[in-house]
Amino acid sequence: MPLIGAHVDQDDPLAHARARDAEVAQFFLGDPQGWKGPVIGDRTREIRDSGVDVYIHAPYVINVATANNRIRIPSRKLLSSHLSAAAELGARGLIVHGGHVGAGDDPQLGFDNWRKVFERLEEHEVPVLIENTAGGGNAMARRLESIARLWDALDGFDVGFCLDTCHAHAAGEELADVVERVRAITGRIDLVHCNDSRDAAGSGADRHANLGAGRIDTELILAVCRSANAPIVVETPSGGQAEDIALLRKSL
């Protein structure tokens, strides 16, 4: 049985994890839409010795792929500072979105910029887990063919992968065999974001729903979780997270 948990508020992640009977807690270390560096509060520190596994989600604003220096350079700095903070908390991974390039840019520029990140990163003990994304025509990690190009660019570096079921569905990827196809590219799946979707397949919409309350067949989601054999985090609406975790424990 994989460890199962939830994305929780950062004000008191341990209390929120216990309220959901979660073995895993994922949370932000600041404003997910802001550029300020990570903040580790007193209650956040408690989680290191709690027996709850920790994953940190990097801010959404990070886009290391872009050609825009005013975004790319601060993104690299913010990613690095979050890696240091995640290590201080004993985190199992730092999840970051793949980012995108501009409409008129060659996508290869984005893949090359990702490689430069790892070439310049100082040694870090917490793995970077790149997450597949739901939408964007110029995204680095929306479709599997783009993820394959990204992994080619990152050849030789120890890079992890986070598979989000809602994002894969929204990107138009078939969930029935997505685990096998991802592993054929990355060689690994380090974490599953187990989310139903409020929108139709291929919509490009990143709107999560509780399990059974969205547009994805729950059995397909469960099959992904079984096949991935990795820790699971539900990023579903908070009011139903305890029930989502209970369903996963009963069904896996």
Side-chain angles (χ1 to χ4, degrees):
M1 173 72 72
L3 296 177
I4 302 171
H7 184 95
V8 298
D9 288 341
Q10 59 194 296
D11 62 327
D12 194 345
L14 185 55
H16 295 310
R18 286 173 173 158
R20 292 157 174 77
D21 195 21
E23 303 159 307
V24 180
Q26 175 186 290
F27 49 94
F28 294 109
L29 291 176
D31 179 2
Q33 301 289 357
W35 290 99
K36 291 185 178 180
V39 175
I40 299 177
D42 291 339
R43 288 181 173 175
T44 311
R45 294 178 193 280
E46 295 175 8
I47 204 166
R48 179 172 186 137
D49 302 316
S50 68
V52 174
D53 279 9
V54 176
Y55 288 85
I56 302 301
H57 201 303
Y60 298 133
V61 293
I62 289 178
N63 182 7
V64 300
T66 180
N68 186 336
N69 288 343
R70 290 193 289 182
I71 296 175
R72 187 180 69 257
I73 293 171
S75 291
R76 288 177 180 168
K77 292 179 179 178
L78 196 56
L79 180 64
S80 180
S81 64
H82 271 77
L83 277 170
S84 298
E88 187 175 340
L89 292 172
R92 302 283 182 164
L94 175 71
I95 299 98
V96 59
H97 288 181
H100 59 277
V101 295
D105 294 327
D106 181 350
Q108 188 59 46
L109 176 65
F111 302 129
D112 292 342
N113 282 338
W114 258 111
R115 182 171 184 85
K116 290 174 184 177
V117 169
F118 285 92
E119 288 174 340
R120 298 174 184 183
L121 265 182
E122 296 181 1
E123 186 174 343
H124 52 283
E125 60 188 82
V126 176
V128 175
L129 309 183
I130 298 176
E131 179 181 359
N132 62 307
T133 50
N138 305 299
M140 302 293 98
R142 179 186 182 188
R143 299 305 300 268
L144 264 62
E145 54 262 34
S146 295
I147 294 170
R149 290 182 65 183
L150 178 56
W151 247 253
D152 284 344
L154 296 177
D155 185 42
F157 294 103
D158 183 20
V159 186
F161 190 77
C162 173
L163 174 60
D164 188 302
T165 55
C166 172
H167 295 177
H169 166 87
E173 297 290 350
E174 291 290 340
L175 291 186
D177 61 350
V178 71
V179 169
E180 291 75 13
R181 290 186 292 129
V182 166
R183 278 216 183 97
I185 294 167
T186 66
R188 59 198 280 184
I189 294 174
D190 298 81
L191 184 68
V192 174
H193 281 171
C194 176
N195 304 307
D196 206 333
S197 172
R198 290 167 55 186
D199 296 280
S203 65
D206 183 6
R207 299 200 301 170
H208 299 182
N210 293 106
L211 302 186
R215 303 286 290 274
I216 309 176
D217 182 344
T218 303
E219 284 303 318
L220 268 179
I221 297 175
L222 295 173
V224 168
C225 293
R226 292 186 191 105
S227 184
N229 194 29
I232 299 167
V233 166
V234 297
E235 298 178 312
T236 52
S238 60
Q241 285 182 343
E243 290 77 11
D244 290 338
I245 290 171
L247 173 63
L248 288 166
R249 287 214 178 98
K250 176 183 176 182
S251 305
L252 297 184

